[in-house]
Amino acid sequence: KALPRQRIWVATSRALRTPSLTDRGLHLEYPPVPTANGLPLVVRVLGNPSAKTETLVDAEAGYRIEIGTVASLSATGYVGRYNNLQTTEPSAPVVQFVPAPQVVVNSQFGNLLTATTRGLEVSAQWAPVQTWRLDGSYTAFHVTPQLAATSQDPVAATTDGSAPGPRSRTRPSTC
């Protein structure tokens, strides 16, 4: 009879996302929109020449046991820390008179969001007979955003990107 094979692992990783030319130099101006006061509203989105590199530091630990070819069980836990995540910082509306009277609102990219992630993955496999195999797994994932007090981004800490979450939440899941 074969003895169970076991594995334990630990890993740390660091990933960087360098600002693109768009992050640094974007200048997007939307067409003017009429407002109640009669002045057209112009919204601009601007890149940030001082954009910072986004970083992730991640740690993971896991365990796996295999009992011959009949069964296996794996468990992995992880935590991650994201820094300098991109935000969109609006400025106060400004009335401009040249070339024509209009209200202008600029939004510039910033790096005022951090986030912590943590999760657990567990999976099991069992083959009671050679032609039949049962697989099961569970994944838990949690993201906690922290928006800098100086940020004016109205949605940065309330969006979850494409993070999975329960459908029964009464408020948006967090980034």
Side-chain angles (χ1 to χ4, degrees):
K1 189 173 186 177
L3 294 174
R5 293 182 354 188
Q6 300 180 59
R7 295 182 190 104
I8 295 175
W9 69 91
V10 177
T12 59
S13 302
R14 182 170 182 251
L16 305 174
R17 182 185 145 328
T18 305
S20 69
L21 291 176
T22 301
D23 295 334
R24 292 183 185 269
L26 177 72
H27 184 103
L28 177 65
E29 187 169 310
Y30 291 95
V33 176
T35 63
N37 66 10
L39 291 177
L41 173 66
V42 175
V43 176
R44 293 182 188 140
V45 179
L46 306 172
N48 183 349
S50 302
K52 297 177 184 174
T53 298
E54 296 179 6
T55 64
L56 164 64
V57 176
D58 184 73
E60 175 180 314
Y63 174 76
R64 179 176 177 92
I65 184 169
E66 296 175 350
I67 304 166
T69 59
V70 177
S72 68
L73 176 67
S74 298
T76 304
Y78 53 90
V79 295
R81 175 72 177 176
Y82 293 81
N83 289 306
N84 300 322
L85 296 175
Q86 191 173 77
T87 56
T88 304
E89 303 298 327
S91 66
V94 175
V95 177
Q96 291 182 344
F97 295 100
V98 177
Q102 59 188 1
V103 177
V104 177
V105 176
N106 291 325
S107 289
Q108 186 171 41
F109 294 148
N111 296 99
L112 300 176
L113 181 66
T114 61
T116 305
T117 60
R118 65 182 188 274
L120 172 71
E121 297 175 359
V122 178
S123 65
Q125 221 178 56
W126 177 48
V129 294
Q130 189 174 8
T131 58
W132 194 40
R133 186 175 85 184
L134 299 172
D135 292 317
S137 64
Y138 173 78
T139 300
F141 179 73
H142 184 73
V143 182
T144 306
Q146 296 93 27
L147 191 60
T150 56
S151 177
Q152 298 298 311
D153 191 323
V155 296
T158 61
T159 184
D160 65 356
S162 55
R167 293 186 181 271
S168 62
R169 282 200 168 153
T170 56
R171 61 181 175 79
S173 54
T174 55
C175 176

